[in-house]
Amino acid sequence: EAKDVFLSNISRQEDKTVVTCLEHHMHGFEDNDLVKFTELEGLNELNFDPKRNNTYRIKVISPYAFSIDVDISGLPKYEAGGIATQIKEIVVENYATLQDSLEKPEIIPTDFSKFDHPIQIHLGFQALDRFKEKHGSLPGPWNLTHARELVEIVSSINESSTNKLEKINEKLIKQISCTAQGQVIGISGFLGGTMAQEVIKACSGKFTPLKQFLYLDVTEILPDPDDSKLDLSDYIPSGNPTRYDVQNICFGKSVTKKLFDTKLFMVGSGAIGCEMLKNYAMLGVSSGKGKITITDNDIIETSNLNRQFLFREHDITQLKSVTAANAALRMNPSINVDAQPDKVGSETESKYSDTFFASLDVVVNALDNVQARLYVDSRCVTNQKPLLESGTMGTKSHVQVILPFKTETYASQRDPPEHDVPFCTIRSFPSRIEHTIEWARDKFQNIFISKPREVQQYFEDSSYLEALKSGAGRPKLNLLKYVQKIAQNPPKSWRDCVVFARVKFESYFNIAPQQILHAYPADMRMKDGTKFWALPKRPPVPLIWDPNNEDHRNFILSTASIYAHIYNVTPKNDLSEIVEVELPKFRPKNKTIVIDESKTKADVVKEEAQIDLPEQEFNAIINSLITRSTNKFKLQIEEFEKDDDKNFHVDFITAASNLRAASYGISTADKLKTKQIAGKIIPAIATTTAAVSGLVSIELVKVLMGELPLDVYKNAFMNLALPFFSLSEPAKAEQIKITGNSYYTVWDRWELKGDRTLKDFIEYFKKTYDLTVTGVFVEVRMIYMAIIPMHNRRLPQKLSALIKPQEPYVDLIVSFDSSTGESVNGPIVRFWF
């Protein structure tokens, strides 16, 4: 989608026209993007005019500023406001024929540490075609005679080429020959996902096609075919064919055996989790003495089916982990899978304990949120276990290999925190469609969940009124009045529901905007003379009911239909009842409208809850409720469900959001986009998921092969839309200085065994590491601080007496005196009693 950003300034600086974004608003543009300007005050000449088609090429200066190649010196000065919107351009790409591109290939790089590999592999694949044409088959597995012949064919092709290479990489060509009949699910998954995205591009015309060749190799895990010590029998299939022969050709039976015996823990069974389970089944992971433990507390929803391919329609409402495990077992009945329904977190740490983690060989994340990733990362660091981390966002994805003592962890690099949208923006001053959708979602919660629940409690809980009179859990005035209204006159017909919806329309989209404009008139100025209604604030326009407007009708129909379902009224697709409705009139109120951006929703709700009901009015309501009818009825309480197209939930959110957007001059959104935002659906597509899971599977094989040099492992970032691929060596674990030559990494853990006095504990570090202890802590509990004289009394006491442990060991945080005289923490000290 085209990006846009609010502006705070446009000025001439050092022969450049610099455009600055509003605070906390990153533009997200790239060099050479085309943008248009709208709603600029002062620099009207730059505002987009369809007749002039005045758009501007940009050059990025920073995430919050860019320049345009226009001299504004002779124009009026920038005053305020403005939006820069990206223009999506149609690009015509030209491609060489296959014959020409074979001779002069255009190859997308994937790994700059193997810069010469793509062109060598390009020749190798042409040689494979010639070999097959001559012999009727591809070179035999680890047939060195065939390998030498393939080198000769490559040399011949190279000699006759106008794009001749200086040297042939014979080792690489022989590896291509030896594994030509092999197959690895990781590479198949990566190429399958990538090529599927190219098919979508060809059909849709969206995103940039791959130009023109793509090669990926994992030759770093292959042996040298000329190594005299190489046991070829480990790679060559035996007389009895198995499903693993093609992967044995690539990394040997001994590695496959390690896969069989692997104890793996995967957290999450969603999109990536499904792909990974399929890959485990193909690789034979845990089909011997090993076990795959997977856990996910989520259930399958309709929206999952387009990318979480192990699930089918009949699986909806079933546990993801159990369903995915059963699907994987159908692919390979030999694998051992234990599916659990748990959320991994501090609340399940007794189940997924240190003992559990100690039994594992590797952990794989298949999660969709940062908080859960950080938790699993911390557990892997504590227990010194390798972790394979990955994620997707639309066509973008990443892979991170996290190895004990070797690499940085997931927590080592953090994105800057997102700037939260102030509550006052959502409630009164929306500027983006996301704000109006969140507002509509909040209204849904209030109308169809919170208020009906209060009514239900009134009808079903005999102690409800007594609790109110005692002051316990007293609801807000509007909530109590709603209960009173429904108790006295519940909706009985479709007309009642339509009238309810029409009154809501008037209240939300006509009266509420008038109230805001009453409090803050359109021409209002602040004390410093600046306009109150300056972008991103826009003054609302009260909406007049229009029966011919689709959003107007949809709001009435969806609101009335949901309301009818809650109160057991038969709905109709008929809005003729709207004609004769008594509507509320606008009467100015001295109501406080929050404009303080520092106040959160919780702050405002708390303040409003502290406004006491006038006692006389409260008692009158309670008395009327006491004398209620004895006719009780059961309400059908709604819960927001985005995947049921017949329940009108997303229809209500879409109509309410778009009406509010129309009132505030914001571009509206269709039902699909509204559903994505309101349902908090993370953009995910099957192509990206397949590709990234393939790369994770390759790194899994490397991890299980044993100790390998760090440059063998590959972190990855890719964007299938561009397309862009970048594989690189993981960053090394940071060395943290304590003092002098004493360093540690987050992976390090010092272990001490045997109960001892605090004094002996302190002396141990002095003797062993020449470090002076300044503090000892268990989580946030202070055991010893050198600067507190009274703590010297604790020196003769045993640590077991001071800590009173519940487990055989405890992880201590110990601080030491640094070379600067300040206390610094060392690595975790695991103390065994």
Side-chain angles (χ1 to χ4, degrees), residues 425-443:
T425 298
I426 303 298
R427 176 176 269 198
S428 304
F429 309 111
S431 58
R432 308 186 71 87
I433 194 65
E434 290 82 0
H435 303 161
T436 66
I437 291 172
E438 188 171 339
W439 174 87
R441 184 71 178 81
D442 190 62
K443 290 302 177 189

Side-chain angles (χ1 to χ4, degrees), residues 95-104 212-213:
Y95 289 82
T97 63
L98 177 61
Q99 182 176 350
D100 291 342
S101 59
L102 285 174
E103 183 67 25
K104 293 183 178 180
Q212 191 153 359
F213 283 92

Side-chain angles (χ1 to χ4, degrees), residues 758-805:
L758 178 58
K759 180 181 179 182
D760 291 339
F761 179 83
I762 292 170
E763 288 180 350
Y764 169 84
F765 291 99
K766 189 66 178 175
K767 291 177 182 178
T768 309
Y769 301 104
D770 193 27
L771 294 172
T772 302
V773 174
T774 59
V776 181
F777 308 86
V778 179
E779 295 180 343
V780 296
R781 183 157 61 102
M782 184 190 305
I783 304 299
Y784 170 76
M785 281 286 285
I787 61 173
I788 301 177
M790 290 181 64
H791 280 193
N792 290 331
R793 298 176 186 175
R794 300 181 178 182
L795 292 174
Q797 297 184 55
K798 291 285 186 75
L799 282 175
S800 58
L802 291 168
I803 296 171
K804 297 179 175 57

Side-chain angles (χ1 to χ4, degrees), residues 337-629:
V337 187
D338 179 19
Q340 297 294 326
D342 307 307
K343 177 182 179 182
V344 175
S346 55
E347 62 272 21
T348 55
E349 209 158 292
S350 59
K351 183 173 184 178
Y352 303 106
S353 61
D354 289 348
T355 303
F356 170 79
F357 272 88
S359 69
L360 301 173
D361 296 311
V362 63
V363 179
V364 179
N365 267 351
L367 293 162
D368 61 0
N369 69 88
V370 172
Q371 185 178 359
R373 286 184 170 109
L374 287 170
Y375 176 79
V376 175
D377 179 69
S378 69
R379 298 292 288 137
C380 289
V381 171
T382 299
N383 293 281
Q384 301 170 338
K385 294 295 177 181
L387 170 65
L388 296 175
E389 157 60 30
S390 62
T392 70
M393 179 70 77
T395 59
K396 299 176 183 176
S397 60
H398 76 272
V399 178
Q400 184 180 1
V401 182
I402 299 167
L403 302 172
F405 309 107
K406 290 185 176 182
T407 72
E408 65 181 17
T409 69
Y410 178 76
S412 300
Q413 300 290 335
R414 297 288 299 274
D415 291 333
E418 292 186 7
H419 179 65
D420 291 333
V421 179
F423 179 61
C424 65
T425 298
I426 303 298
R427 176 176 269 198
S428 304
F429 309 111
S431 58
R432 308 186 71 87
I433 194 65
E434 290 82 0
H435 303 161
T436 66
I437 291 172
E438 188 171 339
W439 174 87
R441 184 71 178 81
D442 190 62
K443 290 302 177 189
F444 183 97
Q445 178 73 26
N446 183 47
I447 301 172
F448 305 125
I449 300 177
S450 299
K451 287 183 176 180
R453 276 184 183 159
E454 198 74 23
V455 174
Q456 185 81 310
Q457 190 177 358
Y458 162 71
F459 278 111
E460 294 187 350
D461 186 354
S462 59
S463 63
Y464 176 77
L465 293 176
E466 291 300 322
L468 286 181
K469 285 195 288 185
S470 67
R474 181 180 290 191
K476 292 193 298 183
L477 173 61
N478 65 341
L479 203 56
L480 198 54
K481 284 185 174 180
Y482 181 81
V483 174
Q484 180 189 34
K485 176 184 174 183
I486 296 299
Q488 293 175 346
N489 187 26
K492 301 181 183 69
S493 66
W494 174 244
R495 171 179 167 73
D496 292 342
C497 299
V498 171
V499 168
F500 172 83
R502 179 63 182 89
V503 170
K504 285 295 177 189
F505 178 97
E506 200 70 14
S507 299
Y508 290 157
F509 309 116
N510 184 280
I511 294 176
Q514 290 186 68
Q515 180 61 39
I516 290 176
L517 292 172
H518 170 72
Y520 303 104
D523 57 355
M524 179 177 171
R525 291 186 176 270
M526 307 293 282
K527 290 181 179 179
D528 60 2
T530 58
K531 293 181 179 180
F532 177 84
W533 292 104
L535 285 178
K537 286 192 183 81
R538 289 185 174 94
V541 175
L543 300 184
I544 306 299
W545 163 253
D546 179 0
N548 298 315
N549 185 297
E550 186 177 3
D551 282 330
H552 291 213
R553 294 196 312 275
N554 286 344
F555 177 83
I556 301 296
L557 182 61
S558 58
T559 304
S561 297
I562 300 171
Y563 193 66
H565 179 260
I566 293 172
Y567 291 99
N568 299 297
V569 173
T570 303
K572 303 176 184 176
N573 191 11
D574 177 15
L575 300 183
S576 59
E577 310 274 4
I578 294 179
V579 179
E580 299 176 4
V581 176
E582 186 177 342
L583 298 173
K585 304 296 182 183
F586 169 63
R587 291 183 179 84
K589 299 178 182 177
N590 293 323
K591 185 179 179 181
T592 302
I593 296 176
V594 179
I595 61 173
D596 184 352
E597 294 190 355
S598 65
K599 285 191 175 182
T600 64
K601 181 178 181 180
D603 295 332
V604 176
V605 170
K606 185 177 179 181
E607 288 175 6
E608 291 177 348
Q610 291 172 347
I611 300 174
D612 289 332
L613 271 168
E615 198 64 28
Q616 187 175 356
E617 186 176 1
F618 173 73
N619 289 332
I621 295 174
I622 293 296
N623 290 333
S624 71
L625 291 174
I626 291 173
T627 58
R628 71 181 184 265
S629 169

